[in-house]
Amino acid sequence: MNIRKGTPNDMAAVLGLIQELAVFEKEPDAVLVTVDDLIRDGFGPVPLFHVFVAEIENDSSANPEAKQIVGIALYYYRFSTWKGKTIHLEDLVVKETMRGTGLGYALYSEIIKQGKKDQVRRVEWNVLDWNTPAIEFYEKSGAKVLRDWYVVQMDEAGINNFVENKIRK
């Protein structure tokens, strides 16, 4: 297993893992992002995200030197008015067939080490309330799961409705 920074050539595999995560989270049709979006937004003049990829030797005898991406940790920087610079871990995904191999822990460790290297004051992420194994893992690692906070989002339709109808309080 090798963990390295992702490149534009990795984005098709990254998208495949994002889609696998959407299936796991029971939202198989929710992924709208494309490979082109990932390349543009992750590798342009001002990257909106960074990604670590975990790769293993491919079992294919057709190309014994080929490697297969089997996990990702996609993150970006945020600013907290209380803490300053932080890292937001958007997704940590391990291919289903590779779960339980230590690969997820290796990616998680890489994100925490990146936070230390960048001298951020917090690394943060979301976890679904029904994902008990992940919650237990995070708590055992020393992370705090904040159960009294809600995630708030406005989707594209909500944004359009708000702007077009000039909704007021």
Side-chain angles (χ1 to χ4, degrees):
M1 173 179 56
N2 178 42
I3 295 183
R4 62 174 173 76
K5 291 275 191 169
T7 68
N9 291 338
D10 299 326
M11 291 306 103
V14 167
L15 180 57
L17 286 162
I18 291 168
Q19 291 166 330
E20 186 172 324
L21 177 64
V23 170
F24 174 77
E25 292 185 349
K26 302 174 177 88
E27 294 279 347
D29 299 321
V31 178
L32 301 178
V33 72
T34 67
V35 170
D36 288 339
D37 293 334
L38 292 170
I39 292 169
R40 179 193 65 231
D41 296 338
F43 300 92
V46 182
L48 299 179
F49 70 88
H50 307 276
V51 64
F52 288 108
V53 298
E55 61 185 4
I56 59 170
E57 297 293 327
N58 195 352
D59 292 333
S60 170
S61 58
N63 185 0
E65 294 183 13
K67 297 183 186 287
Q68 178 185 13
I69 294 175
V70 293
I72 63 165
L74 191 143
Y75 68 99
Y76 55 89
Y77 295 94
R78 294 174 64 175
F79 186 83
S80 163
T81 56
W82 290 11
K83 303 294 181 190
K85 185 178 180 179
T86 68
I87 283 179
H88 181 83
L89 173 58
E90 179 66 20
D91 284 326
L92 192 155
V93 188
V94 174
K95 201 174 231 351
E96 186 175 10
T97 58
M98 295 300 296
R99 293 183 191 146
T101 64
L103 199 139
Y105 180 81
L107 285 164
Y108 179 75
S109 297
E110 204 64 36
I111 290 294
I112 304 304
K113 288 189 286 186
Q114 186 70 44
K116 175 78 173 161
K117 177 182 166 191
D118 293 340
Q119 299 179 330
V120 301
R121 294 194 176 112
R122 180 173 68 207
V123 178
E124 60 197 355
W125 59 94
N126 297 322
V127 62
L128 290 166
D129 61 357
W130 54 261
N131 194 346
T132 307
I135 292 169
E136 290 172 357
F137 168 78
Y138 295 141
E139 289 177 330
K140 284 181 187 174
S141 79
K144 292 184 238 172
V145 177
L146 306 176
R147 290 178 170 84
D148 54 344
W149 284 77
Y150 290 102
V151 175
V152 179
Q153 297 180 337
M154 186 179 289
D155 65 11
E156 187 176 10
I159 293 167
N160 290 336
N161 186 46
F162 183 92
V163 171
E164 291 167 10
N165 294 312
K166 297 181 174 69
I167 296 174
R168 304 200 193 285
K169 52 180 181 166

